Amino acid sequence: MIERVTACLENGGKHVLRRISKHHTHRSLHSAFWSHGAGNINLPSWWLAFLQVPSSRDRTWPFDKPATEIPQTPPDPLGFLDFLYPGETLAFLRKLINANTSVVRRRRPSQLLLQRSRTYTSAADAPGGIRPSREATGQSINTEASPAEDTNVDRLNGEAGSEIRRVFKRMLRTKEDPLNTPELWQKYQELQGMSMSLNSKDYSLLFERLSASKTPFNLKCIGSLFGDIPLHKRNYLHYDHTVLAALEQKDLEGAMRLHREATPRVRYQHGSSMILKYAVQHSRWRCAEEIWNHHLEKERAHVWQPNIWKGLNTLQAPELLAGAARAVSEAIRQAKTSSPDDANLTRSLAISLVQRALSIRNTEFDVSKQLQLLSRSCRIARPDLSMFKNAVLQNLSLSRHNHKHNNAALKLYRKIRGKLNLVPDVGLLMAMVKRFSALRDSEGMYEVLEDFRKHYEAPPEEAYSLIMAQLARHGDFDAVDRLFRDFIDRYSKENIQKHARYLFHACFRRAEADRADSVLQSLRETYGYEPDLEAWNSLIATHARVGNHDGAMSLLEKLMAANLTPSNSTYGILMNMFARRSDYDTTSTLYEQAISVGIKPNVPMLNSLVLALVAGDRFDEAYQVVQDAMTMDLDIGTNQPTDITGDFTRTRMWNTLLSHCALNKRLDKVAEIQKRMHEVGVPFDNITYAALMLSLCIKNMPGAALRIKNVIMPSSGARPTALHYSILMGGFMNTNEPNKVLLLADEMLKSNINPTFSSQNQLLRVASRVDEQQDDQENDGEQPFQARRAEEVMRQALETLNPMELAALGPKQRAQSNPANVAFYASYFSYMVYLYGKERSFDRVVGIYDEYIATARKVHGDTGALPPVELLSALMVAHFNAGEHAETERCWHLAVEKSEQLARKFDADTSQPGWVLHKYRFILALPFTRYMQSLQASSRVDDIATTADYLQHAGYRLSVHNWNKYSQILAQEGHSLLAFEICEKHLMDGWPGWEYFGAPLRSKRKIKKQWNPTSLDRSRSFPHYETLVYLAGIYLDFQSMPYGTGKETLQDLERLAPRTMEAVLKMPNFDDDVQNSVLRRN
C-alpha cells in the first residue's frame, strides 16, 4: 500500500517530515482490504453505519439500543477504515494521535485546514466516503492547547472555513438539476474536518438534496450524515430521510431501529408511513404490526401523530388491493394460531388496509380481485357499510368507461340493500342516483327511491330532479306526477317551472298528447303556472310524435302569443315532424322562416331537411345538403333533452342516407357513403350499424349482418340493441331460417335487452310459420286453422303492453306509417287478422278485431280512433274470403278516411288535386287490391275505374300489383281493349323481353322469382306472368273469331298496345296451372 504521509505522524512529537511532500512508504494492512477495494465497496446500510462507530469492543451501534442505553465511552479518534488495519498498526496509530498536539499547533497550524482523515492513493480517495458523526469521532472533545494557540488556530480556521462554508451554501441552495452531489459532499467533509458544524436548516436542506436521488452513493451519504448529527440534535426530518434511505437499501431492521430510537424523542413524521408501506409490500407483518400498534396507542391517548397512510397512498389500487388481500390472509391465519391480542391487532390492521385500498378512486383494477377481497374480509369482521360503500364508489369512479365496473357497483349496491341488510347512507344513495341517471336505468332509480322513502322519508332536493328526469325519460308518468306533487308540498313552489317540464317530458315519451294538454290545464288552475319555452317545446314535440301537425302548429301560435320567441329547437321539432311525413315544402319553409328571423340553424334542423328530401326520393339533393353541412357553422348546444330536440351529431344525417340506400337495395351507394363517412371523420353509432345490417339482410345476407353485431360493433365499443336483433330476425326469416330467429331471441333476453314490439313481431311470424307447417301435416282440412303458438306470443306481448315501451325512441320495424301511440300494439293484431283471414278462419278474425278494440281502450281510451290501414286491409281479406262484400267495402272506406288523416299535406284542400304527401302515396295500394277483387265478385267492375281515378286525382299512386290485378280483372270481365291499354301504359315501360329470362328450361323458375309480388318494387312497372297469360287468352279468343271482327280487333290491339302484343306473341309455352286453366280451357 502506497500512501501519502501526512501530519498525523507529527502528533506524537516525532517529526519525520519538515514540510508537506509526497513520500512513499509501505505498511501492512488487513488482508480484507486487498480483496474488495476499500471505499468502493457496495456495503449494506447497517455495515456502512458500523463503519462510522469506534472500533473498540465496548461500543455499540446507536441504532441497536435506545439513546439512554448507549455507552458514553470516549470516542475512538481513528474512526473511518480503522477496521482495515492489523492490530499492532492500529495501536501504534492510536498512540501517535493521542499524543500532545500543542507542538503541532505551534509548528504547522495550516495543516489543520486539511481534511481530518487519512488519504490514500487507492479508491478510498472517493469523496463519497461516509464519515462518523461528531459524537463518534470526538471532534468536539476539548484539547489541552493554550488559549493563545487556540485563538491563532481559530483565526486561521475562520478565514479558510468561511470561504468553504460560502461555497458549500451556494451549492446547497443552487437550483442546478442534477446537482453535483459528490462535490457538495466533499465540501461538507471539508467543513467537518475543520470542526465547523451546520445549522439545523442546512442539515435539513442537505438531507433533501441527498434524498432527491436514490443512487447508492447518495444513500451512503445519508447514513453518514445522520451519524454526524449529535443525538440531541436529530429531528424528525433527519429520521425520516434516513429511514427512507434504509428502506431503499432493503434494510427493514435498520429502519425499525431508527424508528424505535425516534419514537420517544420526536413527535412528527419519522418514517412510520414508509415502514408500513414497505412491510405491507413485502409481507413483513411483524414490523407492520409494531408500527400499527404504536399508531393505535397514540390514537387511544389522543396524541397528535402524522398521517400513517402517507406511504401507502402512493400505491396504485391493484398493488394496495393485493397487499390488503395478503393482510386479510395473515389475519385469518393468526386467528387460528396466535393469541387473541395478536390476532385482534392483525385483524385491525387488515381491515384498515382494506378500507384504505377501497378508498382509491379513478385507478383501474381487477374487479374480481376486489370482490374476492370483500368476501374474505367478511371472514374476519362483520360486513360494514363503509367498506361496501367505498367499494361501490371505487367502481363508480371507473364505471363511465368500463361496463365491468358499472355492473360490479350495481351488484354491490343491491347486495347492501338485500343480502347484507345494511342501511345505505344518503351519500351512497346520491351516488347511485347520479349513476343510474347517467345510465338511464329506471329500474335502479326505483330501488334508490324505495331506499330514500324507507330510511329517510323522502329524497333530498337534488335527488328529486335526477329521479324525476330519469322516470320521465322512462315514460312513468304516474311516478313523476307523485314525485312532483310531493316535492312541491315538501319544499317550495319556486322551482315549479323546472320540475313541471318532467311531467310534459313523460307525456312526450308515452306519446300522449291529450294527457299533456290536460296536465297544462291542471297546472294553470292549481298553481297559476305558465309554461316556459322548454315546456312549450315538449308540448309541441308530443303532438308532433302522434302525427297531430295541426295541434303542433297551434301550440306554436300560442307560444308566440305568450311573448316568447321560438328557438332553433322549436323549429327543429316542427321541421322533423313534417320531414317524417315527407312534406319537404313545409319543412323548407320553416327552415327559411327561422333563418329570416335571425335564428342560427342547428344540427337537428339540417337533419330534418335531409330526411324530408330522402323521404321524397330526392337522394342527390339530400346528399349535397349533407356534404355542405360538414362545413357549416351550426349551433351544437341545447338546454333541451336530446330526445325532444333531436340528435346534435352529424352522424344522424349520414344514417338517413344509409338507411334510404339500404331499403332501396343500393349497396354500391351504401359502400360509397360508408367510405365517405370515414374520410370526413363522422363517427359510427348504433343506427349506422343498423343501416349496414339492414342492407345486408335485404340482400339475403343475414350471416354477414350477424358478423357486424358479433365482431365489428364490440370492437368499436358499440352495444347491440333490440333494433339490431329485430333486423337480424327479419333477415333470417327471409332466408327461411326460423331456428336462428329463436336463438337470437334467446340471446337477446340473456343479454338483458328488453324485447320491443319489433322483435316480438318477428317472433310472432316465426310462431305462425310453425303453426302453418303443423296444420299442413296434421289437419285434413275439416278443422279450422288455429295459430296456437302465434296467439301465445301475442298474448305474452299484450300482457306486458305498456305505453312506457314508447320511451325507447329508436327506429322500430313494423311501425309503418302509423303514429307512435298506435303502431306499438296494432302491428300484432294486423298480422293475426291477416293470418286467420288468409286461412279462412273468420270466427278468429272477428275475435282478434274485438281484442284490438279492447286493447285500444285499455292503452289510451281512444275508442273512436280509426284502426290503422294495415289492420283494415287484413280485415278486408277476411271479409272477402268470407264473401262479405258489404263489410269489405265498409273497411275500404274506413281505410280511405284513415289515410286522409295521415297523408294530407299541411293546410291542403282535399277537393283540389295532389294533396297527398309523397311518403304516403302507396298507403292504399294493398287495400285497393282487396277492394278490386270484392268489386269484381260483386259485378261492379266499372266502379274500379272510378275509384282508381279518384285515388290518382288525390295524389295516391297505384302499385305495380294494383295495375296487374286491374288488367287481369278487365281481361277476365271482357274489357279487352282497356286491359291491353292499362298494361301498355302502366306496366310495359319496365319489360325487359323474354330473352332476359334465358332458356325455357330455366326461365320458369326465374319468372316465378322475378314476378313474386313480395320481391317487386312497387314503383317499378313490370307485367306479371299471370297478366300476360290472361292477355294471351284474349288474343286467342279474338284469333278464333270469324274472319273480319276478330282481325279488326287484333289490329286495334297492335296499334293500341304494340309492346304488349309482342310480349304476348313471344310468350313461351309452359305446362303449368296458369296456362292450362286460361289458354287451354275448352
Side-chain angles (χ1 to χ4, degrees), residues 251-270:
D251 181 15
L252 180 59
E253 297 301 328
M256 288 299 298
R257 288 193 294 270
L258 287 169
H259 182 269
R260 296 186 190 107
E261 177 188 308
T263 297
R265 299 189 64 254
V266 299
R267 178 183 180 187
Y268 298 99
Q269 176 75 27
H270 52 277

Side-chain angles (χ1 to χ4, degrees), residues 364-514:
E364 187 58 53
F365 61 90
D366 190 336
V367 173
S368 62
K369 292 184 178 180
Q370 185 211 51
L371 298 177
Q372 184 180 7
L373 175 62
L374 287 170
S375 177
R376 290 178 61 82
S377 299
C378 293
R379 295 176 58 183
I380 61 174
R382 277 187 168 185
D384 178 64
L385 174 63
S386 62
M387 182 187 300
F388 280 87
K389 175 184 175 181
N390 280 330
V392 172
L393 298 179
Q394 187 177 51
N395 281 294
L396 288 179
S397 69
L398 299 169
S399 59
R400 181 174 299 179
H401 307 292
N402 192 308
H403 296 302
K404 291 183 178 179
H405 290 293
N406 178 70
N407 294 336
L410 302 184
K411 179 180 178 181
L412 288 171
Y413 168 67
R414 286 167 179 144
K415 186 175 182 179
I416 289 173
R417 64 192 304 270
K419 183 179 179 180
L420 299 179
N421 198 25
L422 298 173
V423 178
D425 59 19
V426 175
L428 175 59
L429 292 177
M430 284 302 302
M432 296 309 300
V433 164
K434 293 176 182 178
R435 189 63 205 142
F436 286 135
S437 177
L439 292 173
R440 300 192 173 188
D441 187 345
S442 301
E443 181 181 351
M445 281 296 192
Y446 289 122
E447 295 176 2
V448 175
L449 183 60
E450 179 184 350
D451 285 340
F452 269 125
R453 288 173 171 167
K454 180 179 179 181
H455 304 296
Y456 306 101
E457 293 188 4
E461 187 172 354
E462 180 185 2
Y464 268 102
S465 297
L466 294 173
I467 296 175
M468 290 173 66
Q470 175 54 36
L471 297 185
R473 191 180 294 116
H474 183 56
D476 192 347
F477 176 84
D478 294 335
V480 175
D481 186 50
R482 288 192 299 269
L483 284 169
F484 172 78
R485 300 187 186 281
D486 185 38
F487 175 82
I488 296 298
D489 295 339
R490 188 175 296 275
Y491 293 101
S492 66
K493 300 179 182 179
E494 296 179 358
N495 291 328
I496 189 172
Q497 285 284 357
K498 174 182 177 181
H499 292 85
R501 299 172 193 161
Y502 302 130
L503 295 172
F504 298 122
H505 193 193
C507 294
F508 164 76
R509 300 288 292 198
R510 296 169 64 94
E512 294 181 341
D514 293 339

Side-chain angles (χ1 to χ4, degrees), residues 562-573:
N563 295 323
L564 294 173
T565 302
S567 64
N568 52 12
S569 296
T570 311
Y571 281 102
I573 294 167

Side-chain angles (χ1 to χ4, degrees), residues 3-7 10 16-25 108 111 114:
E3 67 172 5
R4 182 179 300 167
V5 180
T6 61
E10 295 180 354
V16 179
L17 302 175
R18 295 299 179 182
R19 54 188 175 275
I20 299 177
S21 61
K22 293 184 178 179
H23 289 262
H24 295 154
T25 185
R108 302 301 299 266
Q111 294 178 9
L114 299 175

Side-chain angles (χ1 to χ4, degrees), residues 31 90 239 468 475 505 665 738 824 838 943 953 1007 1032 1059:
S31 60
L90 193 63
Y239 284 106
M468 290 173 66
H505 193 193
K665 304 181 182 180
F824 82 107
K838 182 181 68 171
D943 290 344
H953 174 81
I1007 289 173
R1059 293 177 298 175

Side-chain angles (χ1 to χ4, degrees), residues 183-451:
E183 186 178 350
L184 177 67
W185 183 252
Q186 180 69 26
K187 294 300 179 184
Y188 166 73
Q189 285 186 317
E190 292 177 6
L191 291 175
Q192 288 293 95
M194 297 166 53
S195 300
M196 300 184 70
S197 62
L198 304 181
N199 58 38
S200 177
K201 183 177 180 180
D202 288 344
Y203 271 124
S204 299
L205 191 56
L206 183 55
F207 267 112
E208 291 178 6
R209 288 308 183 106
L210 294 174
S211 299
S213 176
K214 307 301 181 185
T215 62
F217 176 82
N218 283 29
L219 297 176
K220 294 175 185 178
C221 292
I222 291 173
S224 179
L225 179 62
F226 182 82
D228 289 346
I229 303 175
L231 181 64
H232 67 279
K233 289 186 178 182
R234 294 171 181 170
N235 62 29
Y236 73 99
L237 285 176
H238 306 154
Y239 284 106
D240 200 38
H241 287 292
T242 310
V243 166
L244 184 58
L247 294 176
E248 286 290 337
Q249 298 176 88
K250 298 180 173 53
D251 181 15
L252 180 59
E253 297 301 328
M256 288 299 298
R257 288 193 294 270
L258 287 169
H259 182 269
R260 296 186 190 107
E261 177 188 308
T263 297
R265 299 189 64 254
V266 299
R267 178 183 180 187
Y268 298 99
Q269 176 75 27
H270 52 277
S272 302
S273 66
M274 300 309 299
I275 295 176
L276 182 61
K277 171 188 174 183
Y278 186 91
V280 170
Q281 284 181 299
H282 296 83
S283 300
R284 302 290 293 274
W285 300 117
R286 292 302 178 191
C287 296
E289 290 164 10
E290 181 179 340
I291 298 294
W292 182 247
N293 186 47
H294 171 67
H295 169 75
L296 293 180
E297 288 176 353
K298 283 194 172 185
E299 192 175 69
R300 285 192 291 267
H302 302 288
V303 176
W304 183 93
Q305 54 184 325
N307 181 12
I308 194 69
W309 303 111
K310 183 179 179 181
L312 288 169
N313 286 344
T314 62
L315 298 180
Q316 296 295 317
E319 192 174 2
L320 191 50
L321 284 170
R326 293 193 297 269
V328 171
S329 298
E330 176 67 13
I332 294 174
R333 186 189 67 80
Q334 291 202 25
K336 301 176 182 178
T337 60
S338 302
S339 64
D341 290 342
D342 291 343
N344 289 336
L345 180 63
T346 308
R347 181 171 62 251
S348 172
L349 172 62
I351 293 300
S352 298
L353 283 173
V354 172
Q355 292 279 26
R356 180 59 50 175
L358 295 176
S359 65
I360 299 177
R361 304 287 183 265
N362 303 312
T363 303
E364 187 58 53
F365 61 90
D366 190 336
V367 173
S368 62
K369 292 184 178 180
Q370 185 211 51
L371 298 177
Q372 184 180 7
L373 175 62
L374 287 170
S375 177
R376 290 178 61 82
S377 299
C378 293
R379 295 176 58 183
I380 61 174
R382 277 187 168 185
D384 178 64
L385 174 63
S386 62
M387 182 187 300
F388 280 87
K389 175 184 175 181
N390 280 330
V392 172
L393 298 179
Q394 187 177 51
N395 281 294
L396 288 179
S397 69
L398 299 169
S399 59
R400 181 174 299 179
H401 307 292
N402 192 308
H403 296 302
K404 291 183 178 179
H405 290 293
N406 178 70
N407 294 336
L410 302 184
K411 179 180 178 181
L412 288 171
Y413 168 67
R414 286 167 179 144
K415 186 175 182 179
I416 289 173
R417 64 192 304 270
K419 183 179 179 180
L420 299 179
N421 198 25
L422 298 173
V423 178
D425 59 19
V426 175
L428 175 59
L429 292 177
M430 284 302 302
M432 296 309 300
V433 164
K434 293 176 182 178
R435 189 63 205 142
F436 286 135
S437 177
L439 292 173
R440 300 192 173 188
D441 187 345
S442 301
E443 181 181 351
M445 281 296 192
Y446 289 122
E447 295 176 2
V448 175
L449 183 60
E450 179 184 350
D451 285 340

Side-chain angles (χ1 to χ4, degrees), residues 598-634:
I599 292 178
K600 185 177 181 180
N602 58 14
V603 177
M605 293 172 68
L606 266 295
N607 286 338
S608 299
L609 279 179
V610 173
L611 178 60
L613 288 168
V614 167
D617 288 337
R618 299 163 67 175
F619 176 81
D620 293 337
E621 296 178 59
Y623 199 2
Q624 187 60 48
V625 171
V626 172
Q627 300 275 30
D628 295 341
M630 300 306 298
T631 58
M632 291 178 62
D633 181 20
L634 301 176

